[in-house]
Amino acid sequence: MPFLSNLGSRREVFTDPLLAFRLDGSAFDSSARTTPFAQTRKTDASLKLQALDLSPYLGYLPPGLPVHLKSAVLDMDVKLAFEQNPAPAVRLSGAVQISRVKLADGKDEDLLAFDRLQLGLADVRPLARAVKLSSVELNQPLLTVHRARDGRLNVDLSAPPARDAKKSSKTVADKDRPTKEKKEKEASPSPSDAWKVDVASVAVRGGQVDWIDDTTAVGKGPSARLGLRDLSLDATGIALPFGVPGVQAIPFRGSAAIEAGKGPGSTSPGAGTTTAAGLTFSGSALDTAASMTATVSALPLSLAAPYVAQFLEPTLAGTLNAAVGVNWTLGANLPAIQKEKGSRYELKLKVDKMNLDKLALNQGKAALASFQAIELLDAQIDPVAQEVVLGKLVVTNPKAKIERDTGGRWMVEQWLKGSAPTANAPQARPRPQRRRRWRWLQAPSAPHRSGRQRRPSPGKWPSTISFSRAARWAGTTRPTRGRLPSRSRDCGWH
């Protein structure tokens, strides 16, 4: 026991307590230097904990949590400073590490696991609701995202109860929703009371994401399984909450490999292969705006087979290479024209370059249609305004088997799922639905990048067709049958 006294002449004398022991094989060590009876009660303490296995203590967690902690090991080396002058203040600094973590969802299936999470505590003041972290490093995380047949995601922790819940409970919940939302709004802290978090840098290394989609497993269709491997992510200058004036956009960059997911019972084409596509991305983000550029290289279109199989009978083959950009804006940052249209957000996609190599629709071993290459340059897509602006489109060596059956149906109709007529079923003509049309606009014309232009020889198809302008189709305007619109004839044969 150290020296300790509350006598007036001894209150400023430092007391140096020590405490050390072993708990289930884990070493705990602490030391402090304090003046507990002085006016400021100034205290500096050091706490060290090595490899504390939390598994024996998981039974104390409350039941009914949406996420179940299966295992974890805790390490920490933290310094604590306390002073009351006149209001109490607590400061924490040092490092905290949690490793060998496994989390399961409500169905006790794998959700998240990681090898190590390290937090660098620069200046943490819990009484002032302020957290400053020098670094956050996450090593070898594995996230499993599973979408069930009903469309639910296992990562949606706010999902409603199961379908077999009583209808009366749902009715009561719907009636109480306005009252609940009002109470939550009243209980929500004001911006001045909100926690303030500053993170100098975030790094993710060796990450993996497994995507399992059971909505594609209809009939004999397989569940879609995709995977991100070797995921790395870096972000700097993170400041929360976002609504505080002066908060800057968070810059980020990263890379990953895309491949077919692996799992028990997986029947996805390409599962278990070593072929992987490259993905790189970078950008910046806030809660009301984000921008990102990304490049994809050597992405096999066969990865999308479970989704394509829902609409097409033939299989899709080919490789995608693309460089794209995304800009998203929400709320007050919207342009005035978007607000007038009643839009709550703006989303614009820019395709600098996209190549589809060896694109083919195959029925077994037979190729129904194929293209040696399709190249798209300088395209802009606005899904909110339903507008597309194409710069240049180059189609190389198109081939297709054109045929029509005895019933007058073209081969394209036979490719579609559910297009075959049912025997003895009346051929009722579907009633057309009024939908807003997409607008196809022309980009500014660019000089043709080919060498010499010539017309094809009689009886021969061109090997390459390029368009440096797109047709302008807007509203009810349609191209004349058998002709290209007059504004889209800047094309050449190679």
Side-chain angles (χ1 to χ4, degrees):
M1 292 292 295
F3 174 81
L4 184 65
S5 175
N6 64 350
L7 298 177
S9 60
R10 299 289 186 175
R11 291 179 180 176
E12 299 297 332
V13 177
F14 283 101
T15 300
D16 301 306
L18 300 173
L19 177 63
F21 57 86
R22 298 188 70 85
L23 176 63
D24 293 335
S26 302
F28 176 83
D29 190 8
S30 66
S31 62
R33 188 171 178 83
T34 179
T35 55
F37 300 107
Q39 183 177 2
T40 61
R41 291 166 173 78
K42 181 176 176 61
T43 301
D44 292 305
S46 176
L47 305 175
K48 294 182 179 180
L49 183 63
Q50 295 181 355
L52 176 61
D53 188 359
L54 300 181
S55 299
Y57 312 101
L58 299 181
Y60 294 99
L61 293 176
L65 295 177
V67 175
H68 302 153
L69 180 61
K70 293 295 187 179
S71 64
V73 176
L74 178 65
D75 293 81
M76 69 177 182
D77 186 357
V78 176
K79 293 183 178 180
L80 182 147
F82 175 82
E83 189 172 4
Q84 187 169 348
N85 189 25
V90 176
R91 290 186 176 183
L92 299 175
S93 61
V96 176
Q97 174 180 294
I98 184 168
S99 57
R100 288 179 275 175
V101 173
K102 290 185 178 181
L103 294 170
D105 58 18
K107 297 181 179 180
D108 206 30
E109 297 179 351
D110 292 342
L111 178 61
L112 175 65
F114 55 84
D115 180 66
R116 183 173 66 255
L117 173 63
Q118 292 178 313
L119 304 178
L121 311 183
D123 187 5
V124 179
R125 305 182 186 186
L127 300 183
R129 295 174 179 255
V131 177
K132 287 188 177 181
L133 304 180
S134 59
S135 63
V136 176
E137 298 180 9
L138 182 59
N139 289 277
Q140 297 182 357
L142 171 57
L143 175 65
T144 302
V145 184
H146 188 183
R147 183 161 71 167
R149 287 176 178 264
D150 59 0
R152 286 190 190 174
L153 293 172
N154 63 335
V155 294
D156 185 6
L157 304 182
S158 61
R163 287 185 176 179
D164 56 356
K166 295 182 179 179
K167 184 177 180 180
S168 59
S169 300
K170 182 181 184 301
T171 304
V172 173
D174 291 341
K175 291 181 179 180
D176 293 341
R177 184 176 300 173
T179 305
K180 183 179 179 181
E181 291 177 352
K182 182 179 179 181
K183 290 182 178 180
E184 290 178 351
K185 185 176 180 180
E186 294 175 352
S188 60
S190 61
S192 59
D193 296 334
W195 282 80
K196 296 178 176 60
V197 179
D198 293 316
V199 183
S201 65
V202 173
V204 179
R205 295 291 181 268
Q208 300 182 44
V209 179
D210 285 336
W211 166 254
I212 305 172
D213 191 355
D214 290 341
T215 60
T216 63
V218 179
K220 296 182 179 180
S223 296
R225 290 180 179 267
L226 299 174
L228 288 180
R229 301 291 180 262
D230 300 324
L231 173 64
S232 66
L233 174 65
D234 292 279
T236 58
I238 301 174
L240 302 174
F242 288 119
V244 177
V247 174
Q248 301 295 322
I250 301 171
F252 62 88
R253 68 179 185 277
S255 62
I258 309 173
E259 63 180 20
K262 305 177 183 64
S266 175
T267 56
S268 275
T273 62
T274 58
T275 304
L279 170 66
T280 60
F281 56 90
S282 63
S284 60
L286 276 174
D287 60 332
T288 57
S291 62
M292 183 183 73
T293 59
T295 60
V296 179
S297 59
L299 178 66
L301 298 182
S302 59
L303 295 180
Y307 296 99
V308 175
Q310 298 180 87
F311 308 100
L312 295 179
E313 292 289 352
T315 59
L316 182 65
T319 304
L320 170 68
N321 295 273
V324 300
V326 180
N327 286 283
W328 172 79
T329 306
L330 176 68
N333 296 329
L334 282 178
I337 188 172
Q338 293 295 114
K339 294 180 180 179
E340 291 177 1
K341 294 180 179 179
S343 300
R344 297 193 305 171
Y345 68 94
E346 181 182 49
L347 177 64
K348 291 188 176 181
L349 310 177
K350 182 181 180 182
V351 181
D352 295 326
K353 185 175 182 179
M354 184 179 71
N355 291 85
L356 291 169
D357 297 323
K358 298 181 180 179
L359 180 64
L361 284 175
N362 300 321
Q363 189 78 49
K365 295 183 179 180
L368 303 180
S370 65
F371 302 85
Q372 182 178 339
I374 297 178
E375 182 182 27
L376 177 62
L377 301 175
D378 301 326
Q380 300 180 23
I381 305 172
D382 189 340
V384 178
Q386 292 186 319
E387 184 175 280
V388 178
V389 179
L390 300 181
K392 184 175 182 179
L393 178 65
V394 179
V395 181
T396 304
N397 197 19
K399 296 180 180 179
K401 182 180 180 181
I402 302 176
E403 59 182 2
R404 185 168 61 172
D405 61 15
T406 56
R409 298 169 66 247
W410 290 98
M411 74 291 185
V412 176
E413 299 178 73
Q414 302 173 30
W415 297 348
L416 301 178
K417 279 284 181 73
S419 62
T422 305
N424 301 325
Q427 300 295 321
R429 186 175 182 179
R431 185 175 181 180
Q433 297 181 355
R434 296 181 61 88
R435 294 182 180 179
R436 184 181 175 185
R437 301 181 187 275
W438 280 74
R439 302 179 64 202
W440 298 76
L441 307 178
Q442 70 179 29
S445 62
H448 211 283
R449 297 193 298 176
S450 65
R452 184 181 56 172
Q453 298 185 26
R454 68 177 186 273
R455 295 187 178 276
S457 302
K460 293 185 178 180
W461 284 88
S463 61
T464 302
I465 306 173
S466 71
F467 296 90
S468 61
R469 288 187 179 182
R472 183 185 183 93
W473 294 353
T476 58
T477 303
R478 294 296 183 90
T480 306
R481 183 182 300 273
R483 297 180 181 178
L484 287 173
S486 59
R487 299 292 298 276
S488 61
R489 294 180 181 172
D490 186 9
C491 63
W493 310 100
H494 304 268

